[in-house]
Amino acid sequence: MNLAELTQSYDFSGKSVVITGGAGSLGGEMACALVGCNANVAILDRDTALAERVLKRIDTKVGQVIVVYGDVLKADSLEQARKVIVESFGRIDGLINTAGGNRPEATTGPDRSFFELSDEALRFVVDLNLLGTILPTKVFGKQIAEQKEGSIINISSMAALRPLTRVVGYSAAKAAVTNFTQWLSTYMARECSPKIRVNAVSPGFFLTDQNRYLLTDRDTGALTQRGQSILDHTPMRRFGQPEDLLGAVLWLLSPLSAFVTGIVLPIDGGFSAFGGV
Ligand SMILES: NC(=O)c1ccc[n+]([C@@H]2O[C@H](COP(=O)([O-])OP(=O)(O)OC[C@H]3O[C@@H](n4cnc5c(N)ncnc54)[C@H](OP(=O)(O)O)[C@@H]3O)[C@@H](O)[C@H]2O)c1
């Protein structure tokens, strides 16, 4: 391989990628990068006004980009979205399931023991992260299965590898996302096509809206004890930036990872490698 062939591998001209939760911090960054690499990108989110803001960040539109309404927990809205995307781009080559998150009411703390956690919030968190990955994969993955070729990327978490304190529902749900990634990689390769790959990335700690309240003080912005503890256990001693995920995501979508399926790739500044001593 030479430099021209390597560069070609990251040219996604004619390929289209759906990003669920594409208006969010991590999904939005992926959308911008993919459009810059010539992909056609569908930013799917339940908040289309926020998604429109991502569009404004894309200055050089090499690939096409559309914003599509879709709630990852409502199959009918995903079916509608699939129709719009296929009408616009003709096909779906990649799916990145970034919609997910946590809720304070499903998190233990000084004022909330495990026994007092809200059942409704726990159910919400498990549904959003697990079913919110499975349902879009049924809808968009079916299109990929019909085309016999494509790449699906899920977003797991450090909480899946070894459960983190406090975030009980989130840890359980992300562990299930890891399991589902492995399950589906096998199913797709054996039952649909060996050219359909399913992998996940497992981000370490990225300071975004969904975990800011756990890592920094609401009033002062100073690190919480938990935020400090995370940095102490991250050999690179910093939080991740959304762009830290891009190399892995582009690689997993590209033909350079043609023989890679069923992996969960940590992108964590060394957190998962460090024994803490
Ligand atoms: N940030 C981290 O450190 C970190 C670490 C490990 C894993 N992750 C995972 O990475 C993914 C992205 O995280 P992020 O930090 O970018 O979070 P984020 O900024 O909150 O982005 C998530 C996006 O998903 C959307 N969403 C939520 N529920 C939805 C639904 N039912 N249907 C469609 N869209 C929905 C959100 O919209 P609303 O704003 O309307 O809710 C938001 O735009 C999540 O799966 C998260 O668990 C994050």
Side-chain angles (χ1 to χ4, degrees):
M1 174 170 288
N2 58 35
L3 185 58
E5 287 164 340
L6 180 68
T7 309
Q8 181 70 30
S9 299
Y10 287 109
D11 178 353
F12 293 96
S13 297
K15 303 280 183 196
S16 59
V17 180
V18 181
I19 306 178
T20 74
S25 309
L26 304 184
E29 191 69 23
M30 294 173 199
C32 294
L34 278 162
V35 174
C37 292
N38 294 348
N40 297 325
V41 174
I43 299 176
L44 180 140
D45 211 287
R46 60 181 177 177
D47 187 339
T48 48
L50 263 183
E52 296 284 347
R53 273 205 261 160
V54 177
L55 287 190
K56 294 203 178 104
R57 286 171 47 199
I58 302 174
D59 41 348
T60 42
K61 283 191 193 139
V62 195
Q64 295 176 55
V65 56
I66 56 172
V67 167
V68 192
Y69 170 79
D71 184 324
V72 291
L73 295 176
K74 294 189 179 143
D76 52 344
S77 79
L78 297 170
E79 273 301 342
Q80 273 303 113
R82 187 187 64 81
K83 280 192 196 124
V84 172
I85 294 164
V86 173
E87 269 165 26
S88 304
F89 298 149
R91 52 187 290 119
I92 296 174
D93 302 283
L95 167 65
I96 313 179
N97 285 307
T98 77
N102 194 21
R103 263 202 189 169
E105 302 79 19
T107 303
T108 64
D111 304 326
R112 200 184 292 114
S113 78
F114 166 70
F115 310 104
E116 292 154 346
L117 290 177
S118 144
D119 295 348
E120 187 273 327
L122 280 171
R123 196 169 285 118
F124 173 87
V125 169
V126 173
D127 278 359
L128 174 58
N129 290 283
L130 179 56
L131 287 178
T133 298
I134 294 179
L135 300 189
T137 304
K138 280 180 69 198
V139 173
F140 304 115
K142 186 170 180 222
Q143 178 78 29
I144 291 173
E146 283 164 12
Q147 295 167 194
K148 302 274 178 212
E149 194 168 2
S151 173
I152 297 172
I153 303 176
N154 297 327
I155 313 292
S156 187
S157 161
M158 285 301 114
L161 209 62
R162 280 172 298 161
L164 302 175
T165 56
R166 302 190 56 187
V167 290
V168 54
Y170 183 75
S171 296
K174 288 297 191 184
V177 168
T178 288
N179 181 286
F180 171 62
T181 301
Q182 294 168 329
W183 185 89
L184 191 72
S185 67
T186 304
Y187 180 86
M188 284 294 201
R190 287 167 64 109
E191 307 291 334
C192 302
S193 161
K195 289 188 177 172
I196 300 176
R197 301 178 297 104
V198 185
N199 295 289
V201 292
S202 187
F205 298 87
F206 289 60
L207 196 54
T208 63
D209 289 344
Q210 70 161 252
N211 59 15
R212 202 172 300 277
Y213 72 95
L214 276 173
L215 306 184
T216 56
D217 184 272
R218 261 181 228 281
D219 302 322
T220 65
L223 283 176
T224 58
Q225 206 179 6
R226 186 181 182 85
Q228 186 59 54
S229 173
I230 286 166
L231 290 189
D232 291 343
H233 288 81
T234 301
M236 290 188 179
R237 290 200 180 278
R238 69 170 174 88
F239 294 119
Q241 305 284 347
E243 56 267 30
D244 288 322
L245 295 173
L246 297 179
V249 165
L250 294 176
W251 175 66
L252 288 172
L253 288 172
S254 83
L256 291 175
S257 59
F259 198 46
V260 177
T261 198
I263 68 161
V264 181
L265 187 60
I267 301 171
D268 63 351
F271 181 89
S272 57
F274 182 42
V277 179

